[in-house]
Amino acid sequence: MEVRFTLNGREVSCSLVGSELLLDVLRGPLGHRGTKEGCGKGECGACTVQVDGHPFNACLLPAAEVEGRAVTTIEGLAPAPGELSPEQQAFVEAGGIQCGFCTPGMIMASKALLDADPDPADADIRHALVGNLCRCTGYAQIIESVRRAAALRGEGS
Amino acid sequence: MHPLPYHRPTSLEAALELKASLPGARFIAGGTDVMVRLKGGAPRPSALISLRGIAELTRSEVAQSARLGAAASVADLLAIDALREGWPVLADAMNQMASPQIRSSATLGGNLCNAAPCADSAPALLVHGARVVLRGPQGERVLALEEFFAEPGVTRMGADELLMSIDVDPPEPGLQTTFLKKKRVAMDIAIASVAAGLVMNDGICTHVRFAAGSVAPVPMRLPATEAALCGHPPTDARIAEARRIAEEEVSPITDIRGGADYRRRIIGVYVERATRALAARFEGSE
Ligand SMILES: Cc1cc2nc3c(=O)[nH]c(=O)nc-3n(C[C@H](O)[C@H](O)[C@H](O)COP(=O)(O)OP(=O)(O)OC[C@H]3O[C@@H](n4cnc5c(N)ncnc54)[C@H](O)[C@@H]3O)c2cc1C
Ligand code: FES
Ligand code: FES
């Protein structure tokens, strides 16, 4: 079975035996290792990607389900090599990153929130990030990073 | 995880034929229960049959009444304005399920077919008297949601059947509802939960519904608790009586999330809190 989809704006295809998970296909044959595997069971959010704009745990999503859809991973955010997206810039500036393992998932979940709601209240940010665990920062800086990302995105538009 | 054969039919007929022709195969909708269980070492089905490509199962119709597609994602259902406005208690319960990532995948049908005592959508649907529409080789049949759950993890759906839709009638005129869920951290399944619905006329409770989760083998209505309030004004004495009956009516177990006694106490407290909060919404409006 062959699955075809758009990965960060580029058409890709991959052959599948059956129920392979999107996370394994991304990190394996497609060579995109930015998306992380933490728990592997929907609890930590390290594997968060966007599918048609919505946040999904790639660790639970069979790759066959993204046929014909648009998948965005952390590698797809930077506008050009050496540059950062507003969300990435904000996490750097506001100290939302320490070891960095949770960061791709945090940023993808934050981006999905901001795509739907450009000016979220703190309660909305917390609600949007309940599925993302961070063992380092203590979350305060992450909430601040998302606020900062909202501001940077506002300036850019 | 070693991949399993994966089928993605695009019609109901094809899905039912596949199920009949592949012994040991399992349906998968959002996969948030199926995949976690497989990764946890549960017995492997012979194949997975995805329901997400079947338009008849992902479509919902919401107007005066609602027909919710069993394979519609919780996120897609929450995006329907008329559903949030007409049945806010269901929207509230779905909005408290897991995380945005899980809600993008998870389906209402999967939540019910999984038949966990803690299925968050169940108490709200029970309060609204929801029905489930099943489809098998023999055709369609409809069950009250109360009849659907048999025991933890087991429904009264046949092995050759699938869940097509969840049907909900228009809310009773004036109905006020609420959902209370006890959990430890933001993303947690319920230690105990109560959904409640109330209509009051001239200071009397004329329609009372309580349903509870995580306090019995299956999500359940609390008919004796309802009867204690129905036809009466919600006085302190009546509410205390309803609370006492609710604590007796449930049959919780002790597990990793909480003790049986603690769960009984929460149900009592929630019945009281819900009744007072809902009764207060009728004050001044009469
Ligand atoms: C991290 C995490 C947090 C969670 N938090 C919550 C929570 O807060 N509250 C809560 O209630 N649940 C929670 N869950 C459980 C789960 O997400 C829900 O039960 C979800 O609604 C299941 O839906 P699904 O579509 O993913 O089901 P699936 O995993 O696809 O299927 C579940 C079961 O139902 C069967 N099935 C599915 N659809 C049909 C159908 N139409 N006809 C026949 N059989 C069918 C499948 O064969 C399987 O046995 C959580 C899960 C995870 C991983
Ligand atoms: S790796 Fe997917 S949620 Fe943890
Ligand atoms: S920065 Fe280390 S887990 Fe979040």
Side-chain angles (χ1 to χ4, degrees):
Chain A
M1 173 178 23
E2 187 86 358
V3 60
R4 279 166 219 284
F5 59 100
T6 311
L7 177 57
N8 300 328
R10 217 164 40 89
E11 296 294 321
V12 295
S13 70
C14 187
S15 66
L16 301 176
V17 178
S19 66
E20 286 96 327
L21 297 162
L22 180 63
L23 179 64
D24 297 329
V25 167
L26 288 172
R27 291 182 54 85
L30 295 175
H32 280 54
R33 306 228 168 85
T35 307
K36 303 302 178 207
E37 174 160 26
C39 65
K41 42 186 192 175
E43 282 172 16
C44 75
C47 63
T48 305
V49 300
Q50 280 179 300
V51 180
D52 291 343
H54 299 285
F56 278 82
N57 292 314
C59 71
L60 298 179
L61 184 63
E65 296 296 339
V66 302
E67 171 72 34
R69 302 176 74 181
V71 177
T72 308
T73 65
I74 191 71
E75 290 93 341
L77 298 202
E83 290 178 28
L84 296 178
S85 75
E87 301 83 14
Q88 292 170 313
Q89 187 67 38
F91 270 72
V92 172
E93 289 175 5
I97 311 178
Q98 286 186 28
C99 79
F101 191 82
C102 71
T103 312
M106 282 288 179
I107 290 184
M108 295 312 296
S110 304
K111 183 175 177 309
L113 166 68
L114 296 173
D115 289 349
D117 177 0
D119 188 21
D122 281 7
D124 302 323
I125 299 176
R126 288 174 191 281
H127 187 62
L129 296 182
V130 291
N132 292 80
L133 299 180
C134 174
R135 299 284 83 165
C136 303
T137 64
Y139 301 105
Q141 295 91 325
I142 287 176
I143 309 286
E144 178 57 33
S145 302
V146 181
R147 269 191 230 122
R148 173 117 196 94
L152 288 177
R153 284 168 55 121
E155 284 167 21
S157 64
Chain B
M1 197 184 71
H2 197 68
L4 286 163
Y6 197 82
H7 301 273
R8 202 169 182 280
T10 53
S11 75
L12 264 177
E13 292 68 27
L16 290 170
E17 275 167 29
L18 278 166
K19 191 77 193 328
S21 67
L22 297 168
R26 180 174 274 283
F27 289 125
I28 177 171
T32 61
D33 282 313
V34 169
M35 283 301 173
V36 171
R37 259 187 277 132
L38 278 175
K39 289 184 172 197
R44 283 164 65 85
S46 64
L48 293 172
I49 304 169
S50 165
L51 300 175
R52 279 194 276 200
I54 304 173
E56 286 159 283
L57 295 182
T58 55
R59 203 174 38 221
S60 299
E61 285 159 42
V62 183
Q64 298 305 94
S65 55
R67 165 157 283 201
L68 308 175
S73 75
V74 168
D76 284 348
L77 293 173
L78 282 169
I80 304 174
D81 292 340
L83 184 65
R84 290 199 314 274
E85 283 154 22
W87 295 269
V89 69
L90 177 60
D92 191 18
M94 292 196 296
N95 195 36
Q96 290 194 45
M97 273 175 69
S99 61
Q101 293 93 324
I102 295 284
R103 290 193 293 274
S104 296
S105 277
T107 65
L108 199 53
N111 196 230
L112 299 177
C113 292
N114 198 46
C118 61
D120 269 330
S121 66
L125 288 168
L126 288 170
V127 157
H128 280 293
R131 295 174 303 277
V132 290
V133 181
L134 307 178
R135 170 82 173 262
Q138 283 7 296
E140 255 179 59
R141 63 184 180 119
V142 181
L143 283 184
L145 181 58
E146 283 172 84
E147 310 291 309
F148 183 63
F149 302 116
E151 53 183 277
V154 182
T155 68
R156 298 216 161 79
M157 184 168 55
D160 55 353
E161 288 181 308
L162 58 71
L163 174 58
M164 279 223 308
S165 69
I166 298 95
D167 289 6
V168 195
D169 289 333
E172 287 68 19
L175 182 74
Q176 292 292 331
T177 53
T178 188
F179 178 63
L180 301 169
K181 171 175 171 179
K182 182 68 194 171
K183 50 190 176 175
R184 208 167 30 83
V185 291
M187 185 168 83
D188 202 358
I189 63 172
I191 299 170
S193 67
V194 167
L198 180 68
V199 180
M200 283 179 63
N201 282 297
D202 302 325
I204 306 288
C205 302
T206 52
H207 175 88
V208 185
R209 287 288 179 276
F210 288 106
S214 300
V215 288
V218 297
M220 68 183 293
R221 276 264 304 272
L222 303 178
T225 309
E226 293 169 1
L229 281 167
C230 198
H232 303 283
T235 57
D236 287 350
R238 277 284 156 195
I239 293 174
E241 177 68 358
R243 179 174 167 163
R244 190 186 60 73
I245 291 173
E247 290 181 11
E248 281 173 15
E249 198 166 19
V250 297
S251 53
I253 56 163
T254 293
D255 69 9
I256 181 175
R257 289 198 173 71
D261 287 348
Y262 176 60
R263 289 189 151 108
R264 273 186 212 282
R265 285 287 295 277
I266 296 175
I267 292 301
V269 168
Y270 277 2
V271 162
E272 168 159 3
R273 253 185 225 171
T275 307
R276 290 191 190 281
L278 295 179
R281 293 191 210 163
F282 289 91
E283 272 166 27
S285 71
E286 301 195 337

